[in-house]
Amino acid sequence: MNFNLFTDVVQVARQEAEAGGFTQLKTAEEVENAFAKKGTTLVLVNSVCGCAGGIARPAAAYAVNHDKKPDQLVTVFAGQDKEATAKAREYFKGYAPSSPSFALLKDGEIKTMVERHEIEGYEGMDVVRKLQAAFDEYCE
């Protein structure tokens, strides 16, 4: 793959997450600081695969337009910001590394995840419903 093309694809993926309201976490320290905050945090584990761009990122942006939603929206980029992604995954106890995926934390503790196998091959609204059901259960 042409390096410039790949760089462009990564940049677009980052911009789509930010446009959806997600703050990028690029270092382990940024992850620790974000996850130390009280309340609920939705983590988008972003990637450049087709199901990230075609399903996960659009579903994330849509899902947060809900009565109950997380206090904080953050993203780490698998394969790009390796240190941040590895640190985030330390918090996802009981779940295998998966990207794209979503983790919902409350007070820094994992409550649930929507893993790649629950995204890939599904319709975007299926993922929205999964996320919003988690928001209903864990967010105020």
Side-chain angles (χ1 to χ4, degrees):
M1 177 180 275
N2 180 301
F3 180 74
N4 289 335
L5 176 61
F6 184 73
T7 302
D8 291 345
V9 169
V10 170
Q11 188 59 34
V12 167
R14 289 185 188 281
Q15 290 170 346
E16 286 177 356
E18 286 181 340
F22 288 77
T23 300
Q24 290 189 58
L25 306 177
K26 295 184 176 184
T27 67
E29 183 179 7
E30 289 175 344
V31 169
E32 288 175 344
N33 291 338
F35 291 9
K37 293 180 180 175
K38 293 289 184 193
T40 51
T41 301
L42 179 64
V43 183
L44 162 61
V45 180
N46 202 356
S47 72
V48 294
C49 73
C51 61
I55 302 168
R57 289 189 301 271
Y62 189 89
V64 297
N65 295 308
H66 189 61
D67 293 336
K68 291 184 176 182
K69 58 186 170 186
D71 299 309
Q72 162 174 237
L73 306 173
V74 300
T75 182
V76 294
F77 207 122
Q80 298 301 307
D81 302 322
K82 295 176 182 178
E83 177 187 307
T85 303
K87 179 53 74 176
R89 286 179 170 155
E90 289 177 14
Y91 288 81
F92 308 159
K93 292 178 180 30
Y95 295 94
S98 170
S99 61
S101 62
F102 299 95
L104 185 63
L105 291 88
K106 187 166 188 175
D107 300 332
E109 180 183 319
I110 185 74
K111 293 299 178 184
T112 191
M113 282 196 77
V114 177
E115 299 173 90
R116 180 185 177 107
H117 69 85
E118 298 172 281
I119 298 169
E120 187 175 33
Y122 286 84
E123 295 294 321
M125 286 308 295
D126 295 328
V127 177
V128 168
R129 283 189 285 277
K130 288 176 189 179
L131 289 170
Q132 290 179 341
F135 300 167
D136 287 341
E137 185 171 350
Y138 297 107
C139 301
E140 296 180 19

